[in-house]
Amino acid sequence: MKKITIDNLISEMTLEEKASLCSAADAWHTKKIERLNLPSVMVSDGPHGLRKEDDSPAHFGLLESIEAICFPTASALACSFDRDLIENVGNALGKECQSEDISVLLGPGINMKRSPLCGRNFEYFSEDPYLAGEMGAAFVNGVQKNDIGTSLKHFAANNQEWRRMSISAEIDERTLNETYLTAFEKVVKQAKPWTIMCSYNQINGEYSCENKELLTDTLRDKWGYEGLVMTDWGAMNDRVKALKAGLDLEMPSSHGETDKLIVKAVNDGTLDIETLDTAVRRILTLVDNSLDSKDKHSGFKYDMEWHHEIAQETAENCAVLLKNNGALPLSKNQNIAFIGEFADNPRIQGGGSSHINCHKIDTALNCVKELADVTYAKGYNTDNEQTDENLLNEALNTAKNADVAVIFAGLPDAFENEGFDRTHIDMPKCQNELIEEICKVQKNVVVVLHNGSAITMPWLGKVNAVLEMYLAGEASGAAAVNLLFGIANPSGKLAESFPMQLEDTPAYLNFPGNRDKVNYNEGIFIGYRYYDKKKMNVLFPFGYGLSYTKFRYDNMKINGNDISESDFSFKDNENVNVSVDITNIGDVDGAEIVQLYIRNHIDEDNRPVKELKDFAKVKLAAGETKTVTFTLNFRSWAYYNETIHDWYAPSGEYKILIGASSRDIKLQKAVSITSTTKIPFVVNKSTTCEDVERFAKNKAPLDEMLMKCVKAQHKEESPKTEEEELKDLKCGFGGVPLHSTLSFTPDELKYEDIQNAINEINKGE
Ligand code: BGC
């Protein structure tokens, strides 16, 4: 196909043609312009597989998607904490897009897990912006190195399904930037996604699609984004306002209706042609890049069996071993019972726009046959919460006669999905009952979980082991069997906290909001930031996971030194290297996820107790030691400051914590950081005398003002000097705002004295 020359093309296009390009032709294609030989390109969901609708004549109108590979969903992927693994999944998906003639894969979704109730949490990575950003960037890099675009979604603050198309997320500036935009910023800067998909919802009363502050001021001007912004499907509100705000492409088709609005606005002078041209240029750039890609990769076909193996290897590296009292790994010689429908029919993905028509599904029950003879009982139904007494009795008999009962449990589709939120975080009653009852007849119980988000485990104290598979994709069964038998060693760690109960969760009092608004009153304190600050117990903390081997942490060094803590002192913008030795001290090979958190000791700015700032997954043979090195930078110390509308790292002492989880810190060192940014201290009538004393550069005007009062009242016979009396006065005036000093001083102090002092102090800033 011939490469287009964008500027020439724009100059040849009529106004109507330009407007027409700004909305899709149908659900998945951009519009073509035959007169100019401009072809259309196709986009498809995303994110953990390719959901390309089959438009072949045989399937016309059925909206079926073609067969593809279903990889683990994002909530599982993030537990790998493995950038290379995620990039590899992205790479495989990029190849599938090439093979199926898709230009943009609609993903990844990197919204924060504000509450475990969000129905779509299975499609999102984490409660931590750093981790979500790193995972998202690796994914985008993986896809895009194949000359296939991604669509980073849902920008922004789409953290619930309830009224997701209209609700306004009410978020303060710091929380929005620090918690809900950071992951997007990271992916934009590190991986340059070809496109970004705006969210359906409003933020502080403005729809994302027409939010100039979000789409232009932040995304383009601050972060330097150059790609295209499209709507989520049906998210368009005011077409012309959206175009002005920086929204280029409307998805899906609006049957030409909104194109007419664009034409009208240009004609009546309410929309500049330059604004339209900018959007058109971005759309043409996408088409142009896609044409290049098609030229380069034409005829490529991917190998489904190979990609299935990638899905299996990925699932094995994501699963999290939550408990193990020695029950795992299983031995082939044991008399093993597999119980639960998910052994035979695993839940491997969620429902909605990400649902993949899997090319094949490995079940644990089938895969285990190659290794061992197991007995099986279905145990429960997934379409009903009530216990089926016949299934329960059959399961109890099967479990009783075995050496170990492995129960495959989790959440059925009806419990979590795109389009609705959960109302509780429990597993179905019949499954909890089954586990409790089996524990009465069998001492050795292992639970294998299939769920997209955190759940409660009332039976946790009674079972010997728990393996969290999450929604592990089409090779889930094969991966589970390899992990259970120790052919693969579990190495995932939780990318979200598991609370003890729903009532403990940060957004409990403010989720999902009322009809119009949801208040993010918990601010930056979501996930472990909340549980740590409130010193709460959790079922399992962020970053937690076990292995069949053990690891030792030692030799923590900063810039190669392990000298005493107080000797480390850096400017906030210096790079700081932190290294640590990790040794596999067990008998089997394994991998450890080493986490680096920063604790800030200047609590004035209401900082979290600790925050993840880097991590590494290290593969170690039994007995092997490796040195892991992290590089910290300005953002490792910084928080978003609302006075300067930017990131700021206050001077003071910080601790660098190296941990095996957020609640298992192995080594730490303190460093002193000096800020290179001065936040101007602006004084007004409400500023207290104490704050002027503490923060103002030039404190003299306040002293001069108060000295006037001292002099007016000073008595010859006073035992104190005027200076001493001034000191006393200032002491007594600690929390008094400047305007109130008037009420507590003699007549000599005038209002203009206060105003003059304020002006002089502010001049000094
Ligand atoms: C979802 C998006 C998805 C789009 C296209 C929307 O409803 O929110 O994530 O990419 O549909 O299927």
Side-chain angles (χ1 to χ4, degrees), residues 28 45 120 153-154 164 197 200 232-233 353 418:
W28 310 111
D45 283 304
R120 228 172 156 180
K153 65 190 187 185
H154 307 90
R164 67 170 167 160
M197 186 191 296
Y200 286 121
D232 197 345
W233 268 230
S353 59
E418 178 178 346

Side-chain angles (χ1 to χ4, degrees), residues 262-336:
I262 297 176
V263 172
K264 180 172 173 294
V266 174
N267 284 336
D268 67 20
T270 50
L271 175 70
D272 293 338
I273 189 73
E274 291 75 25
T275 306
L276 177 58
D277 283 353
T278 302
V280 169
R281 183 170 289 106
R282 292 185 191 130
I283 295 164
L284 291 176
T285 304
L286 173 71
V287 176
D288 190 32
N289 289 339
S290 309
L291 296 183
D292 276 350
S293 171
K294 285 176 209 284
D295 274 353
K296 206 159 142 193
H297 306 288
S298 104
F300 173 80
K301 286 285 159 221
Y302 78 103
D303 176 351
M304 284 191 133
E305 288 308 317
W306 180 44
H307 283 212
H308 181 80
E309 278 174 34
I310 298 175
Q312 180 181 331
E313 193 198 330
T314 307
E316 287 170 3
N317 281 287
C318 294
V320 186
L321 183 60
L322 293 176
K323 178 171 181 181
N324 190 14
N325 282 351
L328 295 178
L330 301 173
S331 146
K332 295 173 190 172
N333 305 323
Q334 283 172 299
N335 181 355
I336 300 168

